[in-house]
């Protein structure tokens, strides 16, 4: 039965999410100004980056032409907090992806030219050379490692959320979703995981689950609240953050952990410098300050790695 009651908190998070450019719009008019302002109050704005100083040893790992130019072009998929979101002005981006990218740039003595792009467009654009690096809470998978290099900075992964009236308690096997409708982001590892495993239901004689994909988180949450989806699959950190901002929904459980990293064209010479910069942030305390700011201490990694194997 569709649910038509929207709480004020849900309206705020939906309005904020709909203002994002997961679909590349970037139109601040996509959310009412009042709702966006209220949503902004939920987003921490503490400055944890400006004190970062250049690490000469890490900077020397950059290619000579990059050091000379002093700039890199970065594509950012702006989705939902804590990974990335817009503040009330509809222009300023904030989130873990943003803080880590800005902090690494300071470590390397670089200026970033940031362009907001849709999640599904960034990885192909890296291969074409349109961007030097991309952020978007990109999980490291074996499929992606074939064409993309990664430098890890946190650990996140896949999880589920449901309405309070759901009978689901914990999803440890995707066959528990048979016959249900699952809402998730387009072009994500969640969509891939769900589509690749739909056969598990029919293999056992059950009705397969239906996968509904959306280009922004606002639409995904609306589908859950309104009863068009029975369960949402998204990032662990994103789900935990979102359910704290709205009533009537609950985080279900973690399903699979994945390392998350900066994304580069395969064979990039930038990876060693970025790895050194992330590890430098860990050494000087900035890394922990960023995690505390966004409340994701459980996503800490021990050390940054270049394209590690997918966590199984």
């Amino acid at each position: 039965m569709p649910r038509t009651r929207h709480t004020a908190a849900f309206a705020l998070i939906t309005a904020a999410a709909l203002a994002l450019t997961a679909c590349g719009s970037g139109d601040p008019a996509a959310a009412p100004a009042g709702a966006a302002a209220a949503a902004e109050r939920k987003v921490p704005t503490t400055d944890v980056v400006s004190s970062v100083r250049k690490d000469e040893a890490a900077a020397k790992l950059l290619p000579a032409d990059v050091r000379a130019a002093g700039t890199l072009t970065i594509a950012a998929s702006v989705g939902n907090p804590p990974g990335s979101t817009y503040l009330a002005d509809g222009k300023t981006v904030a989130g873990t992806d943003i803080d880590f990218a800005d902090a690494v740039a300071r470590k390397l003595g670089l200026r970033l030219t940031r362009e907001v792009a849709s999640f599904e467009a960034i990885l192909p654009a890296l291969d074409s050379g349109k961007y030097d690096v991309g952020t978007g809470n990109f999980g490291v998978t074996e499929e992606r490692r074939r064409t993309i290099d990664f430098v890890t900075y946190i650990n996140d992964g896949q999880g589920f959320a449901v309405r309070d009236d759901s009978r689901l308690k914990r999803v440890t096997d995707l066959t528990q979703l048979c016959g249900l409708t699952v809402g998730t982001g387009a072009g994500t590892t969640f969509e891939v995981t769900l589509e690749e495993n739909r056969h598990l239901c029919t293999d056992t004689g059950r009705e397969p689950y239906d996968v509904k994909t959306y280009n922004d988180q606002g639409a995904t949450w609306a589908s859950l609240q309104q009863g068009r989806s029975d369960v949402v699959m998204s990032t662990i950190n994103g789900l935990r953050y979102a359910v704290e901002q709205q009533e009537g929904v609950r985080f279900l459980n973690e399903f699979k952990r994945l390392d998350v990293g900066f994304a580069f064209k395969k064979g990039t010479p930038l990876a060693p410098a970025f790895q050194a910069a992330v590890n430098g942030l860990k050494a000087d305390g900035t890394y922990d300050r960023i995690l505390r700011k966004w409340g994701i201490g459980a996503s800490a990694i021990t050390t940054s790695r270049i394209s590690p194997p997918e966590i199984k």
Side-chain angles (χ1 to χ4, degrees), residues 198-262:
R198 287 183 68 187
H199 68 91
L200 296 176
C201 294
T202 54
D203 288 351
T204 55
R206 285 176 282 182
E207 180 185 355
Y209 50 75
D210 187 24
V211 181
K212 298 292 187 183
T213 60
Y214 301 91
N215 286 325
D216 63 66
Q217 285 295 309
T220 305
W221 285 110
S223 76
L224 181 67
Q225 287 275 7
Q226 296 169 3
R228 288 178 282 110
S229 295
D230 301 299
V231 58
V232 166
M233 188 178 190
S234 189
T235 66
I236 295 167
N237 290 336
L239 291 173
R240 288 187 186 279
Y241 190 98
V243 299
E244 291 180 357
Q245 311 302 317
Q246 54 186 312
E247 297 177 7
V249 295
R250 56 188 167 88
F251 178 75
L252 203 56
N253 64 280
E254 296 183 7
F255 183 70
K256 179 182 179 181
R257 279 277 173 178
L258 285 173
D259 287 318
V260 171
F262 296 104

Side-chain angles (χ1 to χ4, degrees), residues 15 20 24 28 60-61 132 185 216 233 237 251 261 307:
L20 310 182
K60 286 181 180 178
L61 297 174
D132 298 306
D216 63 66
M233 188 178 190
N237 290 336
F251 178 75
S307 298

Side-chain angles (χ1 to χ4, degrees), residues 130-291:
K130 183 177 181 179
Y131 306 114
D132 298 306
V133 57
T135 60
N137 205 69
F138 289 114
V140 181
T141 66
E142 293 305 319
E143 180 181 2
R144 286 175 175 169
R145 288 203 316 149
R146 289 195 286 268
T147 56
I148 296 292
D149 280 341
F150 293 93
V151 172
T152 61
Y153 55 93
I154 60 170
N155 177 276
D156 194 351
Q158 303 174 341
F160 294 98
V162 294
R163 295 187 303 274
D164 283 343
D165 60 6
S166 174
R167 295 181 180 179
L168 285 172
K169 302 300 182 185
R170 186 175 182 84
V171 176
T172 57
D173 189 301
L174 293 180
T175 57
Q176 294 170 258
L177 303 177
C178 295
L180 301 179
T181 299
V182 187
T184 196
T188 62
T189 60
F190 320 114
E191 181 185 8
V192 172
T193 296
L194 291 166
E195 292 293 354
E196 287 183 346
N197 290 282
R198 287 183 68 187
H199 68 91
L200 296 176
C201 294
T202 54
D203 288 351
T204 55
R206 285 176 282 182
E207 180 185 355
Y209 50 75
D210 187 24
V211 181
K212 298 292 187 183
T213 60
Y214 301 91
N215 286 325
D216 63 66
Q217 285 295 309
T220 305
W221 285 110
S223 76
L224 181 67
Q225 287 275 7
Q226 296 169 3
R228 288 178 282 110
S229 295
D230 301 299
V231 58
V232 166
M233 188 178 190
S234 189
T235 66
I236 295 167
N237 290 336
L239 291 173
R240 288 187 186 279
Y241 190 98
V243 299
E244 291 180 357
Q245 311 302 317
Q246 54 186 312
E247 297 177 7
V249 295
R250 56 188 167 88
F251 178 75
L252 203 56
N253 64 280
E254 296 183 7
F255 183 70
K256 179 182 179 181
R257 279 277 173 178
L258 285 173
D259 287 318
V260 171
F262 296 104
F264 305 86
K265 180 178 181 178
K266 192 70 175 177
T268 179
L270 297 172
F274 269 69
Q275 180 189 31
V278 173
N279 288 330
L281 295 174
K282 288 187 68 68
D284 70 14
T286 302
Y287 185 92
D288 289 338
R289 286 192 289 274
I290 293 175
L291 296 191

Side-chain angles (χ1 to χ4, degrees), residues 40-46 81 87 94-95 99 241 292-295:
E40 183 195 11
R41 290 196 290 271
K42 305 287 186 178
V43 179
T45 56
T46 306
L87 297 185
D99 281 346
Y241 190 98
R292 284 196 300 271
K293 172 182 175 179
W294 296 101

